Amino acid sequence: MTEALRGADIVARSLERLGCERIFTLSGNHIMSLFDAALETKIDLVHVRHEAAAVHMADAWGRLTGQAGIAMVTGGPGHANAVGALYTALGAESPMVLLSGHAATWELGRGGFQEIRQADMAAPVSKASWTATSAATLGREIGEAMRIATSGRPGPVPLSVPSDLLEERVESNAIVWPDAHGASSIPALADPVADAVLAAIAGARQPIIFAGPQLSNVSGRALLGRLEAATKVPAVIIESPRGIADATLGALSDLARRADLIVLLGKALDFTTRWATGSGFDPNVRVISIDPEAALVERAGREMNGRLVLGSIADVRNAAETLIARAASMKVREGGWLAEARAALDKRPAAWSTIVSQTPSRLHPAEVFRVLRPYVERDPDTVLICDGGEFAQWGQSMLPLRRRMINGVAGSIGGSLSFALSARLAERQAPIFAVLGDGTIGFHLSEFETAVRRKLPFVAVLGNDSLWNAESQIQLREYGKERMHGCDLLPARYDLVVAALGGHGEFVDKAADFPGAIEGALASGKPACINIQTESIAAPVIRL
Ligand SMILES: Cc1ncc(C[n+]2csc(CCOP(=O)(O)OP(=O)(O)O)c2C)c(N)n1
Ligand SMILES: [Mg+2]
């Protein structure tokens, strides 16, 4: 006689076998069996205040650690709430799995409780999306979801599990457990292809490498730095919806205009790269596409209309390593273009070091980030998060980006408090700063309660201009000053809200008080919000 296990126990034990230490979750009828099953494992359930926050936390976990973050939500409305946040993870190429409860199989098509086509709903914002149909194979399916999430271009994989399968008992000899992380099926970059790429680079006057968001964590940035050093080709990550105009990248748009060869390293040729056409590019610029997805290599070929000189389906990190290795035995180009390019990327207007607010009791964003910068630099493990509109763009351009997360290509604001909380679980010591605007903080303000409950300190640096300024700037530009409306907010005391939730609040309306507020927030050991009264300033534009 073998031991029978519930489907829920198979799920929990499979996750544990696959290395999962914690699950970001919010309870609900369809998943209470999974809460129960987690008690028999070492898995920590971090329960939160909105399903989207659970997804954002799993997303941040995936980005920071490279392991698939796991979120778990109930069926129907829980799943629906979670879906929007998958879009952010998809854009950021973040490995994560969303486990959603689901109406029982015997209820389907009969108007079951919270029955809705969950897999269809999540499909456009995920790498793969399906509903389990058998309790015995739940473990294998979770393994498969994790493998898909972490391989090739990483991304979110939602798996819906009907509640009756979670309750069903399966004899242990019938259980199909997951393979310990099946290997990626994405090919390596072949040496002759790598040599052809390097030859094209050698023949170009002003080549640039555009890398995708999957390289934006510490190991990815280090790898890209080594690739830049080995090839003497400037290499940047395009991870913002502002694309090549992301203020992080200085005067990249002026540099891109001069490029005669663009190497897309796991970077989609899309709106962020302005499809490498139009007035911002040399009309003869040639493109190389190295990408894990055949469809994106093909798309680059169509878009470039004869100017795609090479396309290869390959794993991004492996391709970078291969290029570095092959470059070692080739004649390396002179460093003049790289030095010129780095100066453009590092360029920041001189005025930024002295600029001060013109409005009484409000700080200019540059004043905020001049003060914050040494605190971010002090510890190399510090995690910086930038989220939101104009204020955060100033942060992106003025703060170091070694260990940084932004809301990403999806252009979806609101994830930062959840990112910060998750980052604190991954990073126990170093400071964590979340830079965000007053509109943005409203999406998941209640996660401060989660952070207090779980004793997860971080510092939210809130630029409060009582405005959805990014959209307000669009109105000003497109429709004129007298037609600006519908974007104003109250000068709310978010610092007091955070204090009321058990965290630490600071209020700043003078630049001189800001260092003390940062010290106070860090010393409190609590989740903290520094509510800074800021001027409404448009995002920076950096030109050569
Ligand atoms: C989910 C989502 N909703 C709306 C938007 C549009 N949007 C982008 S920035 C922004 C304003 C952000 O305001 P705030 O956080 O106060 O920053 P500010 O621009 O004022 O510095 C809005 C509404 C978006 N990008 N994502
Ligand atoms: Mg604002």
Side-chain angles (χ1 to χ4, degrees):
M1 189 65 188
T2 57
E3 185 201 6
L5 288 180
R6 279 179 306 181
D9 294 304
I10 297 172
V11 170
R13 291 189 195 189
S14 296
L15 285 168
E16 197 168 45
R17 282 183 184 212
L18 292 165
C20 167
E21 293 163 25
R22 61 178 47 85
I23 299 177
F24 302 100
T25 186
L26 200 159
S27 54
N29 293 27
H30 291 119
I31 53 170
M32 295 327 286
S33 58
L34 286 166
F35 272 54
D36 187 62
L39 290 173
E40 307 306 317
T41 69
K42 293 199 179 68
I43 295 173
D44 176 19
L45 296 187
V46 180
H47 69 91
V48 308
R49 307 301 303 269
H50 191 289
E51 286 85 358
V55 171
H56 287 316
M57 290 176 200
D59 171 353
W61 185 266
R63 293 196 219 180
L64 279 173
T65 67
Q67 306 156 359
I70 310 290
M72 182 169 83
V73 303
T74 198
H79 177 79
N81 274 353
V83 164
L86 293 175
Y87 189 39
T88 301
L90 186 72
E93 304 182 351
S94 172
M96 60 151 296
V97 170
L98 170 66
L99 288 174
S100 297
H102 188 277
T105 46
W106 54 266
E107 289 180 308
L108 299 186
R110 300 173 58 207
F113 174 56
Q114 299 183 336
E115 179 194 355
I116 187 140
R117 293 201 311 278
Q118 295 184 187
D120 290 351
M121 186 186 255
V125 285
S126 41
K127 279 189 80 178
S129 172
W130 73 95
T131 306
T133 53
S134 133
T137 55
L138 282 173
R140 185 178 66 198
E141 292 185 59
I142 282 161
E144 183 62 3
M146 281 170 94
R147 190 191 62 75
I148 296 170
T150 50
S151 65
R153 170 172 276 102
V157 179
L159 169 60
S160 287
V161 186
S163 54
D164 56 330
L165 301 187
L166 293 172
E167 298 291 356
E168 189 178 320
R169 291 193 170 269
V170 182
E171 291 299 327
S172 65
N173 56 8
I175 297 170
V176 187
W177 293 105
D179 289 340
H181 268 241
S184 165
S185 55
I186 311 298
L189 187 71
D191 286 348
V193 181
D195 292 348
V197 173
L198 293 168
I201 286 173
R205 277 172 296 111
Q206 287 155 340
I208 298 189
I209 297 170
F210 287 170
Q214 69 160 292
L215 291 184
S216 71
N217 56 15
V218 172
S219 64
R221 286 190 188 281
L223 176 61
L224 204 62
R226 287 199 292 124
L227 180 63
E228 178 173 287
T231 58
K232 297 273 194 293
V233 178
V236 295
I237 298 173
I238 311 289
E239 59 171 331
S240 159
R242 300 191 191 216
I244 59 171
D246 175 4
T248 304
L249 301 169
L252 174 63
S253 33
D254 285 334
L255 200 66
R257 194 186 303 279
R258 297 171 55 202
D260 60 345
L261 176 70
I262 296 171
V263 180
L264 298 168
L265 180 61
K267 175 61 206 165
L269 190 66
D270 62 6
F271 75 102
T272 63
T273 48
R274 299 182 193 160
W275 296 278
T277 54
S279 59
F281 289 90
D282 179 336
N284 298 314
V285 67
R286 293 169 309 139
V287 167
I288 289 173
S289 168
I290 301 169
D291 201 280
E293 288 174 48
L296 285 185
V297 177
E298 282 160 23
R299 190 169 87 189
R302 279 196 307 279
E303 292 287 344
M304 293 316 294
N305 201 13
R307 285 182 292 119
L308 183 78
V309 289
L310 195 156
S312 181
I313 301 157
D315 178 81
V316 170
R317 284 177 189 250
N318 167 276
E321 291 289 3
T322 306
L323 289 168
I324 293 165
R326 303 297 292 182
S329 57
M330 293 181 80
K331 188 172 162 301
V332 173
R333 52 187 297 116
E334 297 294 316
W337 163 243
L338 175 57
E340 217 180 307
R342 271 289 140 206
L345 294 164
D346 294 340
K347 173 153 179 159
R348 300 294 181 270
W352 288 11
S353 49
T354 51
I355 201 165
V356 288
S357 165
Q358 301 302 310
T359 317
S361 305
R362 290 197 178 270
L363 281 69
H364 187 286
E367 287 180 278
V368 173
F369 298 115
R370 280 200 307 263
V371 172
L372 186 61
R373 186 176 172 107
Y375 290 95
V376 178
E377 279 171 340
R378 203 155 66 180
D379 185 329
D381 293 329
T382 295
V383 181
L384 172 67
I385 295 153
C386 294
D387 181 15
E390 309 302 80
F391 178 71
Q393 281 290 309
W394 282 93
Q396 283 179 214
S397 62
M398 293 182 66
L399 299 172
L401 49 64
R402 186 176 169 277
R403 201 176 187 196
R404 189 190 77 171
M405 287 183 276
I406 63 173
N407 42 15
V409 172
S412 179
I413 59 176
S416 49
L417 300 178
S418 312
F419 291 174
L421 197 152
S422 179
R424 176 50 80 216
L425 287 162
E427 169 55 54
R428 301 306 300 191
Q429 296 292 329
I432 291 167
F433 294 104
V435 167
L436 74 172
D438 58 316
T440 299
I441 201 170
F443 286 83
H444 290 294
L445 191 52
S446 60
E447 293 311 329
F448 271 105
E449 189 275 335
T450 307
V452 170
R453 178 166 31 86
R454 291 294 308 238
K455 298 187 175 54
L456 300 171
F458 64 87
V459 181
V461 178
L462 171 66
N464 190 343
D465 63 349
S466 308
L467 195 65
W468 300 95
N469 189 24
E471 306 311 306
S472 186
Q473 292 294 330
I474 294 175
Q475 292 180 325
L476 178 64
R477 204 171 59 230
E478 303 290 327
Y479 313 110
K481 196 171 176 16
E482 60 296 340
R483 299 185 73 80
M484 292 166 74
H485 75 126
C487 291
D488 54 313
L489 296 166
L490 293 175
R493 290 296 302 268
Y494 300 103
D495 52 314
L496 299 182
V497 176
V498 170
L501 289 171
H504 179 86
E506 297 272 354
F507 180 82
V508 172
D509 62 1
K510 283 193 287 300
D513 295 342
F514 186 33
I518 300 173
E519 299 288 358
L522 290 170
S524 75
K526 294 179 181 173
C529 172
I530 308 179
N531 182 1
I532 311 164
Q533 306 303 289
T534 50
E535 287 187 297
S536 293
I537 307 284
V541 177
I542 305 167
R543 307 307 300 258
L544 276 178

